[in-house]
Amino acid sequence: AAALERRPFCMGGGFGAAARDTFKYSGKVRPGKQSPKRSVPKSISKPDYWKDGQPKARGPMLPWQIQKKSEADIEGMRAAGRIAREVLDLAGAAVAPGVTTEAIDALVHEAAVSRGAYPSPLNYHGFPKSCCTSVNEVICHGIPDSTKLRDGDIVNIDITCYYGGYHGDCSETFLVGEVDEAGRQLVKVTHDAWQAAIAYCAPGKEYKGIGAIIEDYIAPHGYSTVREFCGHGVGSVFHETPNVIHARNNEPGTMQVGHTFTIEPMICEGVEKHILWRDGWTATTKDGKRSAQFEHTLLVTPDGIEALTARTENSTPFWWEK
């Protein structure tokens, strides 16, 4: 799940839709009706914000201070990452025209809970659902509701699972039915830019290099990369240092063995600037054009990088792999 650059992670609650909605939306997506917040069994270990929505645990305060995870931490994060991957694969398999984002959220919630995990987005700073579903021009933090996916849509599903005291965070953008060539290209280029950024990572590399690689990769296609939402450190705390900005930047920090963080570029067909809906969460492109995103939780190893949320032999192949 993306964090806001130099600001808390979208600290806003839901206001609900007014009787007459006068908000100036940038595209065609509109908020639907939300179901009540789901409950989690008492037997499942929960993050410290589950009840009041306020995270108490904090990572290092200064941006260049990045926690090195212990072997025990890494094993715990591998377990959380595997669960997040399984849940994301199930959610992606449910994507089809006519399916509501609410139905996807229900599936995600049940899949996480049945594996003994807490769906990390639930009540994080008051977020009302168990995953984020971001359709077409929604850049990130879309709230699942009664909205039906339509043939030709693209939808990012962002999953984070808290298990054994650690968060595993991943997302993918899925095609709904038959998507036009421009939409397919946006998704594929976003994936490939993300993979190029991951391939760059190794001990001694500067975190700021990630953004330059992404920006250079997408430039020939005329796309833009979102600055305001960024990747982040992750572990027992949902969002911590480093800030991983997906455009050229001067953020401090050098990768070291044991660092864990996300890379999750949000790539737009048009401008990268966003507007925020009245719900305090949903961020859409300012021009109403589409945005795509992919995300892994990553571990810096002596040999390079390990994706803790890597796809498995059970993951559905991407459409370009079929």
Side-chain angles (χ1 to χ4, degrees), residues 149-176:
L149 297 175
R150 300 170 301 176
D151 187 68
D153 285 345
I154 62 173
V155 57
N156 176 270
I157 303 177
D158 195 331
I159 302 294
T160 312
C161 292
Y162 181 79
Y163 179 80
Y166 300 92
H167 298 273
D169 191 358
C170 55
S171 86
E172 290 180 6
T173 298
F174 300 93
L175 307 183
V176 184

Side-chain angles (χ1 to χ4, degrees), residues 3-53:
L4 270 170
E5 182 188 351
R6 299 185 183 87
R7 284 185 284 163
F9 174 83
C10 257
M11 293 182 69
F15 294 97
R20 181 172 177 270
D21 193 349
T22 58
F23 186 80
K24 292 184 178 179
Y25 297 96
S26 63
K28 294 182 179 179
V29 179
R30 298 289 184 275
K33 184 177 179 181
Q34 292 179 32
S35 65
K37 191 177 293 183
R38 304 182 196 284
S39 61
V40 177
K42 291 181 179 179
S43 60
I44 289 178
S45 176
K46 301 175 180 66
D48 61 12
Y49 54 81
W50 76 273
K51 195 170 186 178
D52 64 5

Side-chain angles (χ1 to χ4, degrees), residues 100-155:
T100 64
T101 53
E102 157 69 23
I104 292 171
D105 183 76
L107 183 156
V108 164
H109 187 89
E110 177 56 33
V113 166
S114 69
R115 288 163 172 76
Y118 181 94
S120 302
L122 186 63
N123 210 31
Y124 183 74
H125 289 300
F127 189 81
K129 292 295 178 181
S130 296
C131 68
C132 300
T133 51
S134 301
V135 180
N136 293 340
E137 70 266 21
V138 180
I139 295 170
C140 59
H141 306 157
I143 301 174
D145 58 21
S146 60
T147 300
K148 289 184 178 180
L149 297 175
R150 300 170 301 176
D151 187 68
D153 285 345
I154 62 173
V155 57

Side-chain angles (χ1 to χ4, degrees), residues 177-231:
E178 293 299 320
V179 175
D180 64 19
E181 186 56 38
R184 291 161 74 91
Q185 177 179 279
L186 174 67
V187 173
K188 179 68 162 60
V189 170
T190 301
H191 170 275
D192 292 351
W194 171 64
Q195 285 293 308
I198 292 172
Y200 158 84
C201 297
K205 294 292 185 73
E206 293 182 303
Y207 280 101
K208 67 181 183 181
I210 291 170
I213 285 174
I214 291 168
E215 199 169 317
D216 288 346
Y217 194 97
I218 66 170
H221 300 276
Y223 299 151
S224 63
T225 176
V226 173
R227 275 186 169 274
E228 287 81 3
F229 301 96
C230 57

